[in-house]
Amino acid sequence: MTHNPNPNLDHLVDPRLIVRPDRYLIRANGRSTRFLVVEIAAPTVAPDPSRRRPPVNLAFVLDRSGSMGGHNKLSLAKQAVLESIHRLEVEDRFAVVTYDDQIDVVMPGTLATPEARREAARRLAGIEPRNSTDLHAGWLTGCEQVAAGLGAEGVNRVLLLTDGLANRGVTDPAELARLAYDLRRRGVTTSTFGVGSDFDEALLQAMADNGGGHFYYAGDVAQMRDHITSEVGETLEVVAREVVLELTLPDSVRIDSLSPFRVEQGGGRTRILLGDMVSGQLLTIALRLTFDFGSVGREVGIVLRVADRDRAFEAATPSISSVSLTWTYADTNANDVQPRDVEVDRVVARLFAERAKQEAVRLNREGRYDEARHALDGVRRRVHEYAGSDTVLRGLVDELSEEQVQFAAPMPEMARKAAYFASSNLSRMRTAEGKSRRA
Amino acid sequence: MPEDPYSLADLARLADVTPRTVRYYVAQGLLPSPDAAGPATRYGEGHLARIRLIRRLQRDHLPLAEIRARLERMGDEEVLAASAVLDPQEPEPSLVAQDTLDFVRTLMRDAGVRPTVATPQSPVRRLESMEAPAPRGARAPSLPPAPAPAPASPPPSVHSSPGPVPESSPARTAPDRTTWERLVISPDVELHVRRPLGRQTNKRVDQLERIARELFEDP
């Protein structure tokens, strides 16, 4: 391996890229839909006392609207922020912004020295709940603080917390999502935290997805504190930023992602943006490919590679090279009898189920109980068709049967948000509580 | 990033043509000869991009002679550029810190966002105004957020009015900026609370909410 000029990239080990198609034959005289499961493991940092992790640069953006006075939400949010600040090193940077309909930069971006941390505690003590919610302005101000100290290495991120609806400034979820994406491409990522029942989870999820971060739901203040702690902890463990699964495909093959990651196409490549990955993190993505007609015996191939902004995957040992995959055109009979990879079926079924659940949450909220039940039942029936004797797939069928009943009746908002959060995490291959999965 | 060179079979699969077609294109002068020959033959990204371009031009009904004439004049960069025009990709924005900062500041200025920035000396100090647009957060009576669709109607006194003076907070709230929060107790019962409130009152509201929820819980 050639000498690496960045010592932080030494001692990265065991990255993985494993690709599993559900079937290898495609129809000669028809279109074929095939699925692909891609398992990616980020390199793990091998223990090394001389390795310094890159510094992080965070901005905590806290909602201080009037409703944050309930249940000690603001006090506990402040506490969680201070606890997180105390875990930083002196090379790390942090800023604190509070917002209601006015924006206050309580702590402009600063290195996390002991004096800065004490000052942050003093200033936060004086912040009490106040007015309405200009989330857009608060968030942008946090972005400015991060941008002012943008680190070339390490995570640069805004952590945005709210308990309510954005009701001042820009409130359109699509516009906020687009802005979050624009900032993300310029190096400032966004994670979002929603507390209680009143915030819009679609908005916060979209900002996090487009912003390259994560969305968290806290039903109570204890969960809020856990989530803030967990998120900050993970920023300290990021080993590869802006990980991209890159595919080279023939023009005749269409691709879409069943996993809710952003897909970009252009320049002859399809890129799936996976965001930052922590040491040893496991991500499993499912893709759907559509093939055209072809002549029996002809082969179609794709190539997959993993890349990241810091070239951590490239620098890790052993290095993983690209993976090539080939499908062969065959007649109908050969197609019908070919074996399927049941593991792929399981992943695909799970993703369809979670999509249906998230849809059911929306429908239930609108009082469309029959449609909510129907959405879940549709997936249940389809999975049942190919479940056969597979215990995992049959378990999923049972799960969907139970959930249909639940979603077909009025649900408290908290239950809906909790269901949404768990489902959102599972479809992103995180734990139900919102943590990265590790190898 | 270094690209893996492709074998003839790989190239054919990726380009969705037969190996025979690739050899035909080489023979016809549409593709440059690959390095080496026989089993060790290697093709590169330039070959793949060229085949893609050839196929596109064929779909546009250009004769092979015309296609060859165009490709002959193109180096690898031009071929890749031509592919990019047909299959554009959003250009990567700069990751230079100053560019990002300028971008954010432009967004803030356009939206009239003017935060108050604390300095080392004092907890909060207003920034001198440098721009004309009406600042956000100007003293205007604020209406409570529009109620979510619900059977209950909001309480009668929902317009702005002087609220109770917060007890312990050092930051006095302007009386015309209070808002009402709706706390759901059960599907048919809500508690309406004017915010912001002092710490003691908040605690009592929490208690009331807890008791109310217990009262209306299903037995």
Side-chain angles (χ1 to χ4, degrees):
Chain A
M1 201 177 89
T2 53
H3 168 66
N4 202 310
N6 181 349
N8 285 325
L9 296 180
D10 293 340
H11 310 285
L12 293 177
V13 297
D14 297 334
R16 284 210 300 267
L17 171 63
I18 297 172
V19 184
R20 314 169 70 133
D22 67 335
R23 286 164 283 180
Y24 285 100
L25 300 180
I26 45 184
R27 293 183 196 287
N29 37 9
R31 310 197 94 193
S32 306
T33 298
R34 295 288 178 265
F35 295 102
L36 199 61
V37 163
V38 181
E39 293 167 8
I40 298 175
T44 307
V45 179
D48 169 41
S50 70
R51 183 186 184 266
R52 322 250 15 236
R53 61 157 176 82
V56 299
N57 172 22
L58 308 176
F60 298 91
V61 179
L62 298 186
D63 182 341
R64 63 168 309 180
S65 60
S67 52
M68 286 290 286
H71 301 278
N72 282 330
K73 278 180 279 189
L74 184 56
S75 315
L76 284 151
K78 293 192 290 183
Q79 218 175 313
V81 168
L82 288 173
E83 282 167 8
S84 297
I85 290 171
H86 279 278
R87 294 165 68 198
L88 302 177
E89 308 277 346
V90 287
E91 295 84 16
D92 298 317
R93 293 182 69 88
F94 74 93
V96 182
V97 173
T98 60
Y99 69 99
D100 52 353
D101 54 357
Q102 268 178 219
I103 320 303
D104 287 293
V105 183
V106 171
M107 280 297 289
T110 176
L111 293 172
T113 61
E115 302 78 55
R117 290 179 232 170
R118 281 196 291 273
E119 185 63 20
R122 269 197 289 277
R123 294 183 184 184
L124 274 175
I127 304 292
E128 296 296 334
R130 218 162 49 181
N131 298 317
S132 54
T133 309
D134 192 341
L135 182 139
H136 165 255
W139 171 71
L140 270 185
T141 305
C143 291
E144 184 190 22
Q145 294 300 315
V146 170
L150 206 69
E153 295 164 4
V155 171
N156 296 279
R157 188 167 298 178
V158 174
L159 282 70
L160 172 66
L161 184 137
T162 185
D163 78 328
L165 294 170
N167 54 19
R168 306 280 281 211
V170 174
T171 57
D172 175 37
E175 193 180 335
L176 286 166
R178 173 73 216 194
L179 290 173
Y181 178 63
D182 287 338
L183 258 311
R184 177 234 191 118
R185 291 172 75 229
R186 290 170 172 78
V188 178
T189 52
T190 297
S191 280
T192 55
F193 300 80
V195 190
S197 305
D198 298 330
F199 69 91
D200 180 356
E201 75 264 21
L203 165 63
L204 293 190
Q205 180 78 74
M207 284 185 78
D209 282 345
N210 285 280
H214 307 292
F215 159 66
Y216 297 87
Y217 161 65
D220 60 43
V221 288
Q223 285 172 26
M224 176 183 66
R225 209 157 139 192
D226 281 345
H227 290 322
I228 293 174
T229 305
S230 175
E231 169 72 6
V232 173
E234 290 204 6
T235 63
L236 304 180
E237 292 184 85
V238 164
V239 74
R241 292 180 299 170
E242 291 294 359
V243 179
V244 175
L245 175 65
E246 199 179 83
L247 298 106
T248 308
L249 318 166
D251 291 340
S252 60
V253 178
R254 299 272 162 273
I255 185 171
D256 67 296
S257 174
L258 299 185
S259 300
F261 294 103
R262 199 180 160 104
V263 179
E264 291 181 351
Q265 296 185 295
R269 300 274 186 275
T270 297
R271 301 166 75 238
I272 307 199
L273 308 191
L274 305 173
D276 300 343
M277 290 181 82
V278 298
S279 175
Q281 184 179 352
L282 270 180
L283 264 184
T284 306
I285 302 118
L287 304 171
R288 173 170 46 198
L289 300 162
T290 312
F291 297 90
D292 263 340
F293 300 59
S295 28
V296 175
R298 255 281 281 288
E299 291 179 335
V300 178
I302 72 175
V303 175
L304 297 95
R305 277 175 53 237
V306 179
D308 65 284
R309 187 173 150 191
D310 303 308
R311 305 189 164 192
F313 276 85
E314 196 184 318
T317 39
S319 61
I320 43 173
S321 44
S322 50
V323 173
S324 302
L325 222 49
T326 304
W327 286 265
T328 310
Y329 282 101
D331 62 37
T332 307
N333 192 49
N335 268 278
D336 287 344
V337 303
Q338 66 178 322
R340 309 171 67 108
D341 183 340
V342 74
E343 188 52 44
V344 175
D345 287 344
R346 290 172 182 168
V347 172
V348 168
R350 169 58 62 187
L351 287 170
F352 277 122
E354 296 309 331
R355 245 192 219 182
K357 264 187 236 184
Q358 290 163 40
E359 179 65 13
V361 164
R362 275 193 291 277
L363 291 165
N364 184 284
R365 184 176 289 129
E366 291 173 25
R368 294 153 69 181
Y369 303 119
D370 250 7
E371 290 173 70
R373 189 194 54 75
H374 191 69
L376 291 166
D377 194 50
V379 177
R380 186 197 63 79
R381 273 186 279 114
R382 277 195 302 278
V383 175
H384 184 67
E385 270 165 34
Y386 59 83
S389 56
D390 185 67
T391 44
V392 172
L393 289 173
R394 286 168 70 143
L396 184 58
V397 170
D398 292 340
E399 191 184 309
L400 287 165
S401 299
E402 282 167 26
E403 269 164 0
Q404 278 179 55
V405 175
Q406 190 191 2
F407 281 89
M411 289 168 72
E413 181 56 30
M414 266 190 71
R416 281 193 290 255
K417 283 193 153 51
Y420 176 86
F421 181 50
S423 178
S424 156
N425 285 323
L426 292 179
S427 49
R428 289 163 179 77
M429 293 300 160
R430 298 174 76 69
T431 67
E433 301 79 37
K435 299 189 197 309
S436 298
R437 282 189 204 272
R438 314 282 181 131
Chain B
M1 300 226 19
E3 302 291 348
D4 290 326
Y6 304 115
S7 69
L8 174 59
D10 288 337
L11 180 68
R13 284 184 216 122
L14 284 174
D16 199 13
V17 296
T18 60
R20 199 161 158 217
T21 304
V22 176
R23 286 196 289 264
Y24 172 72
Y25 287 156
V26 173
Q28 291 292 315
L30 292 162
L31 279 185
S33 290
D35 300 325
T41 309
R42 260 17 207 168
Y43 295 81
E45 286 301 325
H47 288 95
L48 181 57
R50 265 167 220 277
I51 299 181
R52 287 208 154 109
L53 198 50
I54 292 168
R55 304 295 275 179
R56 287 215 181 90
L57 295 174
Q58 281 179 319
R59 277 201 290 276
D60 293 341
H61 307 294
L62 251 65
L64 276 187
E66 172 70 43
I67 297 176
R68 178 177 37 238
R70 287 201 197 186
L71 285 178
E72 252 162 21
R73 290 178 252 126
M74 291 172 124
D76 270 3
E77 301 83 44
E78 287 168 273
V79 174
L80 290 165
S83 299
V85 165
L86 296 168
D87 186 16
Q89 201 172 5
E90 263 195 73
E92 283 302 310
S94 135
L95 285 169
V96 169
Q98 190 58 47
D99 293 344
T100 301
L101 189 52
D102 290 342
F103 179 76
V104 178
R105 286 185 169 157
T106 304
L107 288 174
M108 289 171 77
R109 194 187 56 228
D110 292 347
V113 176
R114 284 168 58 239
T116 307
V117 183
T119 62
Q121 288 79 34
S122 64
V124 165
R125 176 178 70 82
R126 285 216 177 271
L127 279 178
E128 292 313 320
S129 160
M130 283 181 285
E131 327 237 6
R136 287 253 204 80
R139 298 284 180 266
S142 73
L143 296 170
S153 51
S157 59
V158 123
H159 57 277
S160 306
S161 56
V165 173
E167 292 155 42
S168 52
S169 159
R172 288 277 176 262
T173 315
D176 58 354
R177 289 159 74 195
T178 60
T179 54
W180 286 88
E181 186 191 0
R182 304 154 65 102
L183 299 170
V184 177
I185 304 298
S186 79
D188 303 312
V189 179
E190 285 181 349
L191 189 60
H192 285 239
V193 179
R194 194 207 308 266
R195 304 279 190 195
L197 296 170
R199 208 167 305 179
Q200 276 308 312
T201 316
N202 270 329
K203 286 210 173 110
R204 288 190 201 127
V205 169
D206 289 347
Q207 210 182 350
L208 179 60
E209 196 189 343
R210 220 168 19 248
I211 294 168
R213 288 215 172 117
E214 269 173 66
L215 259 178
F216 286 94
E217 237 166 36
D218 287 324

